[in-house]
């Protein structure tokens, strides 16, 4: 890496505090208009740059990586999920990749809790009714939803965010079940009062609610495909704050429309910002625009992580959040 301030290309506008600090520490090439950059625009912007800072809205695929100037040695992602970055291609080009784990755990778990409550209690549907001016008052049989207390929640992916969800829903009186690549340590399991299901299909068939909290990888792509969704009970709700690609969205929309699944709370989609059209017509689905980490505190903390990763890398230390190919 050349001497002097490292040249850092940032693909999207970041919080003011983060950009200010970046401009002090680096020769930062910012994106003030916040337009989505094409692959070619990213490659061009990286001319003579040392570091690329993308986000989930960029597709950092093999083609883009292979065409980056040789000067780029680090991709410091603003976000925890790295499914939009071809890690294999980055490794082949000897480009280090980092992300921002830990700092958005609570915010994402809070959003999961919001959706776990909003979908069965018909909160957004009710809000729409009020705004339409058509509400004519309380009635014993009006807009009846489903209780969540006493129900079983199956968490798919029991990492940091999954565990934070488990802690929250204990407070709602739900029982916690989970499926994960690895079983949790006995003490953690006991603390969370969580029941492990080695067999995902078995768990799906026994739950009232499902929360997806695993990363999107080759293994988890369409993990909830039509066959798996068909295992859910008709009164079950699905909440997804992880990645849209983990669910076969078209299959789920169809089942929600047919009443084969009771409802869903979604913060992420297969082809963001496009939404499966069938979902838009359904009253039993709460749709949020990828807001999991969208708090002032979370986004600033994510930016600070990006800065620490870049600083450590340029100072020849191991960046704390290096992502390894799995
Ligand atoms: C992430 O960090 O991966 C989120 O999805 C974007 O905030």
């Amino acid at each position: 890496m050349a001497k002097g301030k490292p040249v850092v290309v940032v693909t999207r506008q970041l919080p003011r505090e983060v950009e200010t600090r970046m401009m002090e520490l680096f020769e930062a090439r910012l994106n003030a208009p916040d337009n989505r950059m094409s692959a070619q625009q990213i490659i061009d912007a990286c001319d003579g740059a040392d570091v690329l800072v993308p986000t989930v809205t960029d597709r950092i695929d093999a083609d883009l990586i292979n065409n980056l100037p040789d000067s780029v040695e680090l991709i410091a992602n603003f976000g925890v999920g790295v499914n939009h970055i071809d890690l294999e291609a980055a490794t082949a080009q000897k480009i280090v990749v980092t992300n921002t784990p830990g700092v958005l755990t609570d915010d994402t778990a809070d959003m999961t809790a919001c959706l776990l409550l909003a979908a069965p209690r018909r909160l957004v549907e009710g809000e729409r009714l009020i705004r339409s001016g058509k509400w004519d008052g309380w009635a014993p049989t009006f807009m009846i939803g489903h209780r969540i207390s006493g129900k079983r929640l199956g968490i798919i992916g029991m990492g940091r965010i999954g565990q934070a969800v488990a802690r929250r829903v204990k407070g709602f009186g739900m029982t916690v079940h989970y499926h994960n690549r690895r079983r949790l340590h006995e003490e953690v399991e006991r603390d969370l009062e969580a029941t492990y299901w080695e067999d995902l299909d078995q768990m799906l068939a026994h739950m009232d609610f499902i929360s997806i909290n695993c990363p999107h990888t080759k293994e988890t792509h369409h993990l909830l495909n039509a066959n798996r969704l068909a295992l859910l009970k008709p009164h079950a709700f699905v909440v997804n704050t992880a990645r849209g690609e983990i669910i076969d969205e078209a299959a789920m929309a169809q089942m929600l429309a047919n009443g084969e699944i009771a409802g869903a709370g979604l913060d992420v989609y297969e082809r963001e910002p496009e939404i499966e059209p069938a979902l838009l017509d359904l009253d039993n689905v709460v749709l949020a625009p990828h807001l999991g980490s969208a708090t002032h505190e979370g986004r600033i903390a994510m930016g600070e992580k990006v800065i620490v990763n870049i600083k450590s890398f340029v100072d020849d230390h191991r960046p704390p959040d290096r992502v390894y190919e799995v």
Side-chain angles (χ1 to χ4, degrees):
M1 196 162 290
K3 288 227 165 15
K5 283 187 179 182
V7 178
V8 175
V9 173
V10 185
T11 64
R12 298 299 301 263
Q13 187 178 57
L14 300 182
R16 191 174 33 79
E17 297 83 341
V18 176
E19 290 194 341
T20 304
R21 190 70 186 127
M22 280 187 162
M23 285 190 294
E24 285 162 9
L25 295 170
F26 315 132
E27 190 184 319
R29 295 181 185 165
L30 305 177
N31 178 359
D34 200 24
N35 297 327
R36 276 176 185 241
M37 293 166 79
S38 66
Q40 193 55 51
Q41 285 170 326
I42 294 176
I43 293 165
D44 293 344
C46 283
D47 187 31
D50 304 293
V51 182
L52 170 64
V53 178
T55 75
V56 63
T57 61
D58 303 303
R59 227 174 102 72
I60 311 297
D61 59 14
D63 205 36
L64 188 155
I65 289 173
N66 295 339
N67 283 295
L68 281 175
D70 291 345
S71 56
V72 176
E73 293 181 36
L74 172 68
I75 296 177
N77 187 55
F78 182 87
V80 68
V82 287
N83 56 309
H84 56 293
I85 303 175
D86 190 322
L87 295 178
E88 213 176 304
T91 307
Q93 294 291 346
K94 300 199 170 31
I95 298 177
V96 171
V97 178
T98 60
N99 67 346
T100 62
V103 290
L104 42 78
T105 302
D106 285 323
D107 294 327
T108 309
D110 288 344
M111 182 53 65
T112 308
C114 285
L115 294 171
L116 276 169
L117 292 167
R121 298 307 305 272
R122 306 175 67 175
L123 184 66
V124 179
E125 196 187 340
E127 213 251 5
R128 275 197 297 267
L129 181 74
I130 299 237
R131 286 184 194 274
S132 74
K134 291 187 188 144
W135 184 43
D136 60 4
W138 189 92
T141 54
F142 169 70
M143 214 169 245
I144 305 298
H146 295 265
R147 176 181 287 174
I148 70 165
S149 169
K151 302 286 171 64
R152 300 173 141 209
L153 170 68
I155 299 176
I156 302 178
M158 203 55 148
R160 290 187 184 87
I161 297 173
Q163 292 183 36
V165 170
R167 269 183 230 108
R168 279 156 179 74
V169 303
K170 267 169 69 177
F172 299 153
M174 301 183 98
T175 57
V176 175
H177 301 255
Y178 75 99
H179 171 79
N180 199 40
R181 267 187 311 178
R182 274 185 299 274
R183 187 170 181 166
L184 295 178
H185 193 278
E186 214 177 302
E187 263 171 46
V188 182
E189 219 176 61
R190 204 174 319 119
D191 177 47
L192 296 172
E193 295 171 44
T195 304
Y196 176 63
W197 294 72
E198 193 176 348
D199 186 328
L200 174 61
D201 293 1
Q202 283 286 331
M203 182 175 91
L204 291 173
H206 286 85
M207 295 298 120
D208 305 303
F209 289 80
I210 291 293
S211 173
I212 300 185
N213 298 105
C214 60
H216 173 227
T217 60
K218 276 188 211 122
E219 290 70 37
T220 64
H221 187 84
H222 279 194
L223 186 67
L224 290 199
N225 55 22
N227 290 339
R228 287 231 170 81
L229 288 166
L231 299 170
L232 292 170
K233 299 183 191 183
H235 69 254
F237 283 80
V238 176
V239 168
N240 188 4
T241 54
R243 282 294 182 264
E245 296 92 328
I246 299 168
I247 306 181
D248 180 340
E249 208 168 80
M252 183 172 67
Q254 180 82 54
M255 295 173 78
L256 285 161
N258 296 344
E260 293 163 71
I261 306 173
L266 307 175
D267 188 42
V268 285
Y269 307 90
E270 258 197 276
R271 285 169 293 276
E272 293 180 16
E274 267 174 56
I275 309 284
E276 165 67 35
L279 286 174
L280 298 173
D281 297 329
L282 299 174
D283 270 336
N284 51 350
V285 184
V286 176
L287 304 170
H290 203 146
L291 294 177
S293 67
T295 64
H296 287 295
E297 298 85 346
R299 292 284 161 86
I300 289 172
M302 285 161 74
E304 281 164 359
K305 280 226 150 219
V306 170
I307 291 172
V308 170
N309 283 317
I310 298 174
K311 274 294 283 166
S312 345
F313 184 78
V314 299
D315 292 345
D316 280 335
H317 296 297
R318 190 182 164 282
D321 306 306
R322 182 164 179 173
V323 178
Y324 291 93
E325 222 191 307
V326 277

